[in-house]
Amino acid sequence: MDIPVKFIHCADLHLGSKFVGVLSDRPELGKMLISSTFEALDRIVDKAKEENVNFVLFSGDVFDESNETPFTRNYFAESLKRIGVPCYIVYGNHDFRRKWEDSIPLPDNAFVFPTEITSVYYPKESPEVEIIGVSYSKANSAKNHALDFMGSEDLYTIGMMHCDVDIPNSPYSPCSTADLKGRNVDYWALGHVHKGGILSKEPYIVYPGNTQGRNPKEIGERGAYIVTVSNGRVIKMQFFNTQSIVWSDAEVSITGVKNITDLMDQISSKVTKGSIVRVTVTGTGILDKNIRMNRSDIIELIEARTGCFCSSMDVKSSPEVDFEKRIEGSDFIAAVLEYGKRLSILDKGELINLICKTGGSAYLRSYYEEMSADELRQIIDDSVKYIIEKLSEVDVE
């Protein structure tokens, strides 16, 4: 391989993701997010043409089965046509079944790996690169496909899989790092894990991550790798961003903060304009009640001051009450704190039974069942602190 070979490795595009929670609560943001998955693909197309790559690898979950509409299928097909060079595709657990495959075929420069391990070669004449891949045949697969891969000793070999590495008992083609070594595969182009990273360089074991973060847990930049290979080894790896919107976290403390303006300054210093931010408020101070009881107003102010979308505000702050000291007392505040402490150790089912004990709340049971135990405990914590705030006002008066 005297002449360098350059390729793009991407995965988990999830074209047309619905972002259901965001779309129902914030329609304008939901539309931006839906567009963002397609914009990420556009950036891959642009990078492929700009860098004159030899081929592009798509390592699974191009879209979700439920989101593979004629529009998403056609958009993907047209994008591959625009790329112009060979595009190699394995399908994963979300796109293993495709409704529009026959009526909207991919262009001639696209090759989809079947559900049996298959090898193709680049270029077809006088090949220098072998690409081995396998697609999912169903949503879950406990089979360790890595054990059946074996590359050529004479060619630079790329292995394409959608899988979990070093996660025992995973239902998504689990394998270990050790399984990926000693198979004459020089570069493992993996997909499925949305947080990108290079797990190994001997051989290269790479997750590019998804191309657009889809929820508050997928914070930070998202993108793909452009890889250059010469004389049988990687000489350059470059990560490039594809996301339109970045999800971020901002933790701020109210301790020692006297007014909301100063708190907004603190938040502004920790976020980037245009991102979707999840704010966590900690500390102890006089602002606790104001923030806790006026969440929607504070969120609106955060957005106005920062130019960000605020997806949520998690209030973990406390009023200016020494909880440890007060719980030892014999007044009503001590009783409230003690009861809250007992509730905090209950499991999810017990909490739901307690919250839905009255006839007026029983019809909301399905709503609470969708929450996690931590979210239910947050309701308890908020309630305890609210009661303490009101009782403290009485004490002052």
Side-chain angles (χ1 to χ4, degrees):
M1 188 186 299
D2 297 330
I3 301 175
V5 170
K6 189 184 296 186
F7 62 89
I8 286 176
H9 170 203
C10 63
D12 298 279
L13 281 69
H14 293 278
L15 294 176
S17 289
K18 298 299 185 183
F19 300 93
V20 175
V22 178
L23 186 59
S24 60
D25 296 338
R26 305 285 296 276
E28 76 285 4
L29 178 56
K31 291 178 181 178
M32 288 174 59
L33 284 166
I34 290 174
S35 296
S36 70
T37 59
F38 298 103
E39 291 166 1
L41 176 55
D42 291 341
R43 293 187 178 96
I44 291 169
V45 173
D46 292 343
K47 179 64 74 171
K49 298 174 75 66
E50 174 189 332
E51 296 286 341
N52 292 315
V53 300
N54 297 94
F55 53 84
V56 180
L57 310 176
F58 293 87
S59 296
D61 287 358
V62 171
F63 33 69
D64 298 346
E65 178 188 352
S66 60
N67 298 336
E68 194 226 355
T69 65
F71 178 83
T72 56
R73 177 76 185 187
N74 185 70
Y75 200 99
F76 183 54
E78 290 297 317
S79 296
L80 298 187
K81 188 183 297 183
R82 285 173 53 211
I83 289 175
V85 297
C87 295
Y88 303 102
I89 304 155
V90 296
Y91 287 128
N93 57 297
H94 281 289
D95 55 2
F96 74 98
R97 184 165 48 205
R98 296 163 300 284
K99 293 177 288 188
W100 298 95
E101 190 165 44
D102 294 333
S103 55
I104 307 177
L106 298 182
D108 293 340
N109 62 310
F111 177 84
V112 176
F113 284 91
T115 55
E116 299 83 28
I117 292 175
T118 302
S119 293
V120 295
Y121 300 92
Y122 177 88
K124 292 182 179 179
E125 303 293 335
S126 302
E128 297 181 347
V129 179
E130 176 187 32
I131 305 170
I132 309 174
V134 61
S135 290
Y136 275 51
S137 61
K138 55 184 179 180
N140 297 335
S141 175
K143 180 177 175 57
N144 184 348
H145 289 289
L147 299 179
D148 296 325
F149 275 67
M150 185 57 68
S152 169
E153 295 183 1
D154 302 324
L155 300 173
Y156 188 85
T157 300
I158 297 171
M160 294 183 67
M161 282 200 304
H162 197 79
C163 65
D164 271 328
V165 178
D166 294 330
I167 301 180
N169 303 316
S170 165
Y172 307 112
S173 297
C175 61
S176 67
T177 301
D179 294 333
L180 300 175
K181 297 184 177 183
R183 302 195 173 278
N184 292 331
V185 174
D186 302 288
Y187 184 101
W188 287 98
L190 306 182
H192 182 63
V193 175
H194 287 189
K195 183 176 176 58
I198 300 172
L199 305 186
S200 168
K201 292 186 177 181
E202 293 183 0
Y204 271 84
I205 303 173
V206 182
Y207 282 112
N210 56 350
T211 54
Q212 170 62 59
R214 300 191 301 156
N215 60 63
K217 295 180 181 179
E218 297 182 348
I219 63 174
E221 297 177 334
R222 302 283 153 161
Y225 282 104
I226 183 165
V227 186
T228 305
V229 176
S230 181
N231 294 319
R233 64 184 184 87
V234 172
I235 61 171
K236 185 178 181 180
M237 280 199 69
Q238 176 189 354
F239 181 84
F240 65 96
N241 297 329
T242 56
Q243 82 286 332
S244 294
I245 301 173
V246 175
W247 297 81
S248 62
D249 284 335
E251 182 174 315
V252 293
S253 173
I254 64 170
T255 302
V257 180
K258 302 301 182 182
N259 57 68
I260 294 294
T261 300
D262 290 344
L263 185 67
M264 291 300 110
D265 290 341
Q266 191 182 157
I267 295 172
S268 296
S269 69
K270 296 186 175 185
V271 300
T272 302
K273 184 177 180 179
S275 64
I276 304 178
V277 61
R278 177 175 57 182
V279 177
T280 301
V281 181
T282 63
T284 301
I286 60 175
L287 295 182
D288 176 77
K289 177 186 174 183
N290 196 339
I291 295 170
R292 190 176 298 279
M293 302 309 300
N294 299 282
R295 292 183 189 228
S296 59
D297 292 335
I298 297 298
I299 286 174
E300 185 177 350
L301 180 57
I302 290 171
E303 294 186 338
R305 282 290 305 274
T306 65
C308 297
F309 289 96
C310 185
S311 63
S312 65
M313 184 173 65
D314 190 4
V315 183
K316 294 183 177 180
S317 57
S318 302
E320 290 186 308
V321 176
D322 188 337
F323 288 170
E324 292 186 6
K325 183 177 180 180
R326 291 304 299 263
I327 200 172
E328 296 174 356
S330 56
D331 60 359
F332 194 57
I333 287 181
V336 170
L337 288 169
E338 176 60 35
Y339 187 56
K341 186 176 181 180
R342 282 190 278 129
L343 294 180
S344 68
I345 63 174
L346 298 179
D347 62 29
K348 179 178 176 177
E350 292 171 321
L351 287 171
I352 292 174
N353 288 338
L354 185 63
I355 293 172
C356 300
K357 190 174 183 179
T358 65
S361 60
Y363 77 99
L364 292 172
R365 188 178 188 91
S366 60
Y367 170 77
Y368 290 112
E369 286 176 342
E370 292 181 1
M371 293 184 175
S372 67
D374 287 340
E375 289 173 324
L376 292 169
R377 292 188 184 102
Q378 184 65 52
I379 293 175
I380 301 296
D381 185 60
D382 285 345
S383 301
V384 167
K385 288 176 180 176
Y386 173 68
I387 294 170
I388 291 172
E389 289 277 11
K390 302 304 291 184
L391 291 172
S392 297
E393 288 178 3
V394 174
D395 285 347
V396 171
E397 294 173 358

